[in-house]
Amino acid sequence: DTSELRYPVWSVQALGIIGVVAFMLMLLPQVAVNAYRRSTNGMSVGLIVLWHLGSLLATAHYAALPEPAVFGALGLSVFSFFCGILEAQAFAYRRSGSQMTCKASGHSIDSIGGMSVSSDSTASPSPQDASRLPPWSRCLIAFSAITLVWVLFDLGLVFLFKAAPQEVSFVAGNVASAV
């Protein structure tokens, strides 16, 4: 008999709030580590993009419900925000620290820019290197672009889910985002 297993409503709500806040902030330590190291080495960008897509699907579903689940949509929006930061960091930091050394000549070669610098480092940087933006600037620009694209995509999904039958929006918002 399950009628004996009743919990106070406040305890269930408190655990739910703690769970949503933990979910919202679970990517924050990775954002901080990436910023400290100025690198995203070891981070799976594909995983972050899939998480971001899943959270956007679920956010659009919650926002398109006849009675929107505001707290759920807000939690997923914050999670999407941190996914966007991680994607921007992956873009911004992919250029920094990527140097190879040519065994034949001893020159250091930047694998992204392709600039060759002699091993004694007396060569002056090219104007192209002098104009490169610092990683935090590239991160901010990438985050702005990523956020704009994802927000427009999410708004489109909200309108699509509102126009679609309830079953379709449920499958796309709940099931597909969980896969």
Side-chain angles (χ1 to χ4, degrees):
D1 190 342
T2 59
S3 63
E4 297 173 14
L5 299 175
R6 301 224 178 228
Y7 298 100
V9 172
W10 66 267
S11 67
V12 174
Q13 290 174 342
L15 290 175
I17 290 171
I18 291 168
V20 169
V21 169
F23 178 78
M24 287 179 355
L25 301 178
M26 76 177 184
L27 296 178
L28 188 58
Q30 185 66 50
V31 169
V33 166
N34 291 349
Y36 177 76
R37 291 183 184 164
R38 294 183 187 231
S39 169
T40 56
N41 289 342
M43 185 183 80
S44 172
V45 177
L47 177 67
I48 299 298
V49 169
L50 287 175
W51 273 350
H52 202 167
L53 182 60
S55 68
L56 289 172
L57 283 168
T59 301
H61 169 69
Y62 288 139
L65 289 174
E67 292 182 27
V70 177
F71 199 61
L74 177 65
L76 286 163
S77 296
V78 172
F79 183 79
S80 293
F81 173 79
F82 285 121
C83 285
I85 291 175
L86 290 173
E87 291 162 348
Q89 285 179 330
F91 174 79
Y93 297 146
R94 71 182 171 151
R95 293 182 170 172
S96 59
S98 55
Q99 290 196 348
M100 300 180 294
T101 303
C102 178
K103 290 182 181 179
S105 67
H107 287 75
S108 178
I109 301 167
D110 180 75
S111 62
I112 300 293
M115 180 186 145
S116 177
V117 181
S118 66
S119 57
D120 62 1
S121 298
T122 57
S124 61
S126 70
Q128 177 187 8
D129 278 335
S131 67
R132 276 193 357 187
L133 296 172
W136 67 267
S137 242
R138 288 194 310 262
C139 189
L140 184 62
I141 292 167
F143 176 72
S144 299
I146 288 167
T147 300
L148 178 65
V149 169
W150 285 115
V151 164
L152 291 174
F153 177 74
D154 209 23
L155 286 173
L157 284 175
V158 169
F159 290 121
L160 183 68
F161 287 167
K162 281 190 177 278
Q166 183 100 17
E167 298 81 22
V168 173
S169 116
F170 175 79
V171 169
N174 280 336
V175 179
S177 67
V179 174

